Short mmCIF file of all heavy atoms in Angstrom, two decimals:
data_model
loop_
_atom_site.label_atom_id
_atom_site.label_comp_id
_atom_site.label_asym_id
_atom_site.label_seq_id
_atom_site.Cartn_x
_atom_site.Cartn_y
_atom_site.Cartn_z
N GLN X 9 6.56 15.33 -11.55
CA GLN X 9 7.62 14.47 -11.10
C GLN X 9 7.13 13.04 -10.97
O GLN X 9 5.98 12.79 -10.65
CB GLN X 9 8.13 14.91 -9.74
CG GLN X 9 8.97 16.14 -9.76
CD GLN X 9 9.52 16.40 -8.35
OE1 GLN X 9 9.27 15.67 -7.42
NE2 GLN X 9 10.29 17.46 -8.24
N ALA X 10 8.04 12.10 -11.21
CA ALA X 10 7.70 10.69 -11.09
C ALA X 10 7.52 10.28 -9.63
O ALA X 10 6.81 9.34 -9.33
CB ALA X 10 8.76 9.84 -11.75
N PHE X 11 8.16 11.02 -8.70
CA PHE X 11 8.05 10.67 -7.28
C PHE X 11 6.63 10.87 -6.77
O PHE X 11 6.20 10.21 -5.86
CB PHE X 11 9.02 11.49 -6.43
CG PHE X 11 10.44 11.06 -6.58
CD1 PHE X 11 11.39 11.92 -7.10
CD2 PHE X 11 10.84 9.80 -6.22
CE1 PHE X 11 12.70 11.53 -7.23
CE2 PHE X 11 12.16 9.39 -6.35
CZ PHE X 11 13.09 10.26 -6.86
N ARG X 12 5.90 11.79 -7.36
CA ARG X 12 4.52 12.02 -6.93
C ARG X 12 3.64 10.84 -7.30
O ARG X 12 2.65 10.57 -6.63
CB ARG X 12 3.97 13.29 -7.54
CG ARG X 12 4.68 14.53 -7.04
CD ARG X 12 4.10 15.77 -7.69
NE ARG X 12 4.95 16.90 -7.50
CZ ARG X 12 4.79 17.81 -6.54
NH1 ARG X 12 3.79 17.68 -5.72
NH2 ARG X 12 5.62 18.81 -6.42
N LYS X 13 3.97 10.12 -8.35
CA LYS X 13 3.20 8.95 -8.77
C LYS X 13 3.65 7.69 -8.04
O LYS X 13 2.96 6.70 -8.05
CB LYS X 13 3.36 8.73 -10.27
CG LYS X 13 2.83 9.87 -11.10
CD LYS X 13 3.09 9.63 -12.55
CE LYS X 13 2.71 10.85 -13.38
NZ LYS X 13 3.05 10.68 -14.78
N PHE X 14 4.80 7.72 -7.43
CA PHE X 14 5.37 6.56 -6.76
C PHE X 14 4.99 6.62 -5.28
O PHE X 14 5.60 7.33 -4.50
CB PHE X 14 6.90 6.57 -6.92
CG PHE X 14 7.57 5.32 -6.47
CD1 PHE X 14 7.65 4.23 -7.31
CD2 PHE X 14 8.12 5.23 -5.21
CE1 PHE X 14 8.27 3.07 -6.90
CE2 PHE X 14 8.73 4.07 -4.79
CZ PHE X 14 8.81 2.98 -5.63
N LEU X 15 3.95 5.89 -4.88
CA LEU X 15 3.49 5.90 -3.51
C LEU X 15 3.81 4.58 -2.83
O LEU X 15 3.48 3.51 -3.35
CB LEU X 15 1.98 6.15 -3.46
CG LEU X 15 1.52 7.49 -3.99
CD1 LEU X 15 0.01 7.57 -4.00
CD2 LEU X 15 2.10 8.62 -3.18
N PRO X 16 4.45 4.60 -1.67
CA PRO X 16 4.76 3.37 -0.95
C PRO X 16 3.51 2.75 -0.33
O PRO X 16 2.54 3.45 -0.03
CB PRO X 16 5.74 3.80 0.13
CG PRO X 16 5.76 5.27 0.12
CD PRO X 16 5.01 5.77 -1.05
N ARG X 20 5.92 1.41 4.46
CA ARG X 20 7.13 1.78 3.72
C ARG X 20 7.24 3.29 3.60
O ARG X 20 6.26 4.02 3.63
CB ARG X 20 7.13 1.17 2.31
CG ARG X 20 6.98 -0.31 2.27
CD ARG X 20 8.19 -0.96 2.84
NE ARG X 20 8.03 -2.40 2.79
CZ ARG X 20 9.01 -3.25 2.86
NH1 ARG X 20 10.24 -2.81 3.00
NH2 ARG X 20 8.79 -4.53 2.81
N VAL X 21 8.50 3.76 3.43
CA VAL X 21 8.77 5.19 3.34
C VAL X 21 9.72 5.42 2.17
O VAL X 21 10.69 4.71 2.00
CB VAL X 21 9.43 5.70 4.65
CG1 VAL X 21 9.77 7.17 4.56
CG2 VAL X 21 8.53 5.45 5.84
N LEU X 22 9.43 6.42 1.34
CA LEU X 22 10.30 6.81 0.22
C LEU X 22 11.10 8.02 0.67
O LEU X 22 10.55 9.03 1.09
CB LEU X 22 9.47 7.16 -1.01
CG LEU X 22 10.23 7.60 -2.25
CD1 LEU X 22 11.08 6.45 -2.79
CD2 LEU X 22 9.28 8.09 -3.31
N VAL X 23 12.45 7.89 0.60
CA VAL X 23 13.33 8.97 1.04
C VAL X 23 14.30 9.33 -0.08
O VAL X 23 14.54 8.55 -0.98
CB VAL X 23 14.12 8.61 2.31
CG1 VAL X 23 13.20 8.35 3.47
CG2 VAL X 23 15.03 7.42 2.08
N GLU X 24 14.83 10.54 0.00
CA GLU X 24 15.88 10.99 -0.92
C GLU X 24 17.08 11.38 -0.08
O GLU X 24 16.99 12.24 0.79
CB GLU X 24 15.39 12.18 -1.75
CG GLU X 24 16.40 12.65 -2.75
CD GLU X 24 15.88 13.79 -3.62
OE1 GLU X 24 14.82 14.37 -3.29
OE2 GLU X 24 16.54 14.09 -4.61
N ARG X 25 18.22 10.73 -0.36
CA ARG X 25 19.44 11.01 0.39
C ARG X 25 19.93 12.42 0.11
O ARG X 25 19.76 12.94 -0.98
CB ARG X 25 20.56 10.05 -0.01
CG ARG X 25 20.46 8.69 0.56
CD ARG X 25 21.70 7.90 0.18
NE ARG X 25 21.54 6.52 0.51
CZ ARG X 25 22.09 5.95 1.58
NH1 ARG X 25 22.86 6.66 2.36
NH2 ARG X 25 21.88 4.68 1.84
N PHE X 26 20.58 13.01 1.11
CA PHE X 26 21.24 14.29 0.91
C PHE X 26 22.48 14.07 0.06
O PHE X 26 23.07 12.99 0.07
CB PHE X 26 21.66 14.91 2.24
CG PHE X 26 20.50 15.39 3.08
CD1 PHE X 26 20.53 15.28 4.45
CD2 PHE X 26 19.39 15.97 2.51
CE1 PHE X 26 19.49 15.73 5.24
CE2 PHE X 26 18.34 16.42 3.27
CZ PHE X 26 18.40 16.30 4.64
N ALA X 49 18.51 11.70 5.16
CA ALA X 49 17.62 11.80 4.00
C ALA X 49 16.38 12.61 4.37
O ALA X 49 16.08 12.83 5.54
CB ALA X 49 17.21 10.42 3.53
N THR X 50 15.66 13.02 3.33
CA THR X 50 14.39 13.71 3.48
C THR X 50 13.28 12.76 3.04
O THR X 50 13.39 12.11 2.00
CB THR X 50 14.34 14.97 2.60
OG1 THR X 50 15.42 15.82 2.95
CG2 THR X 50 13.04 15.72 2.77
N VAL X 51 12.22 12.67 3.81
CA VAL X 51 11.09 11.80 3.49
C VAL X 51 10.27 12.46 2.38
O VAL X 51 9.85 13.61 2.50
CB VAL X 51 10.21 11.56 4.74
CG1 VAL X 51 9.00 10.74 4.38
CG2 VAL X 51 11.02 10.90 5.83
N LEU X 52 10.06 11.72 1.28
CA LEU X 52 9.26 12.23 0.16
C LEU X 52 7.82 11.74 0.21
O LEU X 52 6.90 12.49 -0.10
CB LEU X 52 9.90 11.80 -1.17
CG LEU X 52 11.29 12.33 -1.46
CD1 LEU X 52 11.79 11.77 -2.78
CD2 LEU X 52 11.30 13.84 -1.48
N ALA X 53 7.63 10.46 0.56
CA ALA X 53 6.28 9.90 0.61
C ALA X 53 6.24 8.82 1.69
O ALA X 53 7.23 8.17 1.97
CB ALA X 53 5.91 9.29 -0.74
N VAL X 54 5.05 8.64 2.27
CA VAL X 54 4.87 7.67 3.35
C VAL X 54 3.62 6.85 3.06
O VAL X 54 2.61 7.38 2.61
CB VAL X 54 4.70 8.40 4.71
CG1 VAL X 54 4.48 7.42 5.84
CG2 VAL X 54 5.88 9.29 4.99
N GLY X 55 3.72 5.54 3.31
CA GLY X 55 2.55 4.67 3.16
C GLY X 55 1.54 4.92 4.27
O GLY X 55 1.84 5.60 5.27
N VAL X 70 6.49 9.00 10.81
CA VAL X 70 7.11 10.12 10.10
C VAL X 70 6.14 10.62 9.03
O VAL X 70 5.22 9.92 8.64
CB VAL X 70 8.46 9.72 9.46
CG1 VAL X 70 9.48 9.35 10.50
CG2 VAL X 70 8.28 8.61 8.45
N LYS X 71 6.38 11.85 8.57
CA LYS X 71 5.54 12.41 7.50
C LYS X 71 6.44 13.01 6.43
O LYS X 71 7.65 13.20 6.64
CB LYS X 71 4.58 13.45 8.08
CG LYS X 71 5.25 14.64 8.73
CD LYS X 71 4.23 15.56 9.34
CE LYS X 71 4.82 16.78 9.96
NZ LYS X 71 5.77 16.58 11.03
N ALA X 72 5.90 13.31 5.29
CA ALA X 72 6.66 13.89 4.19
C ALA X 72 7.29 15.21 4.62
O ALA X 72 6.65 16.02 5.28
CB ALA X 72 5.76 14.09 2.97
N GLY X 73 8.57 15.38 4.29
CA GLY X 73 9.29 16.59 4.64
C GLY X 73 10.19 16.43 5.85
O GLY X 73 11.04 17.28 6.10
N ASP X 74 10.02 15.35 6.63
CA ASP X 74 10.86 15.12 7.80
C ASP X 74 12.27 14.72 7.38
O ASP X 74 12.48 14.11 6.34
CB ASP X 74 10.30 14.00 8.68
CG ASP X 74 9.07 14.43 9.46
OD1 ASP X 74 8.77 15.64 9.46
OD2 ASP X 74 8.43 13.56 10.05
N ARG X 75 13.26 15.06 8.22
CA ARG X 75 14.64 14.61 8.02
C ARG X 75 14.85 13.37 8.88
O ARG X 75 14.51 13.38 10.07
CB ARG X 75 15.63 15.69 8.41
CG ARG X 75 15.59 16.88 7.48
CD ARG X 75 16.51 17.98 7.94
NE ARG X 75 17.89 17.47 7.96
CZ ARG X 75 18.96 18.22 8.15
NH1 ARG X 75 18.82 19.50 8.35
NH2 ARG X 75 20.16 17.69 8.15
N VAL X 76 15.42 12.32 8.29
CA VAL X 76 15.61 11.07 9.01
C VAL X 76 17.04 10.57 8.85
O VAL X 76 17.75 10.97 7.91
CB VAL X 76 14.63 9.98 8.52
CG1 VAL X 76 13.20 10.35 8.86
CG2 VAL X 76 14.77 9.75 7.03
N LEU X 78 19.41 7.18 8.22
CA LEU X 78 19.27 5.90 7.55
C LEU X 78 20.25 4.88 8.11
O LEU X 78 21.35 5.24 8.53
CB LEU X 78 19.54 6.06 6.05
CG LEU X 78 18.68 7.07 5.31
CD1 LEU X 78 19.18 7.23 3.89
CD2 LEU X 78 17.25 6.62 5.31
N VAL X 86 15.97 2.80 -5.39
CA VAL X 86 15.02 2.99 -6.49
C VAL X 86 15.48 4.16 -7.31
O VAL X 86 15.83 5.21 -6.76
CB VAL X 86 13.60 3.28 -5.93
CG1 VAL X 86 12.63 3.55 -7.06
CG2 VAL X 86 13.12 2.13 -5.08
N LEU X 88 14.34 6.81 -10.27
CA LEU X 88 13.26 7.38 -11.07
C LEU X 88 13.74 8.70 -11.65
O LEU X 88 14.22 9.56 -10.92
CB LEU X 88 12.02 7.63 -10.22
CG LEU X 88 11.32 6.41 -9.65
CD1 LEU X 88 10.25 6.86 -8.67
CD2 LEU X 88 10.72 5.59 -10.75
N LYS X 91 17.20 10.07 -10.69
CA LYS X 91 17.40 10.45 -9.28
C LYS X 91 17.52 9.19 -8.46
O LYS X 91 16.87 8.21 -8.71
CB LYS X 91 16.25 11.30 -8.75
CG LYS X 91 16.34 12.75 -9.15
CD LYS X 91 15.31 13.50 -8.36
CE LYS X 91 15.48 15.00 -8.54
NZ LYS X 91 14.56 15.74 -7.73
#
Side-chain angles (χ1 to χ4, degrees):
Q9 285 185 0
F11 286 117
R12 294 179 195 263
K13 297 177 187 175
F14 190 83
L15 296 175
R20 304 292 180 160
V21 178
L22 179 66
V23 298
E24 182 177 12
R25 283 185 190 258
F26 290 144
T50 303
V51 176
L52 297 178
V54 179
V70 296
K71 61 184 182 300
D74 286 350
R75 292 176 61 171
V76 294
L78 303 173
V86 177
L88 294 171
K91 279 191 171 184

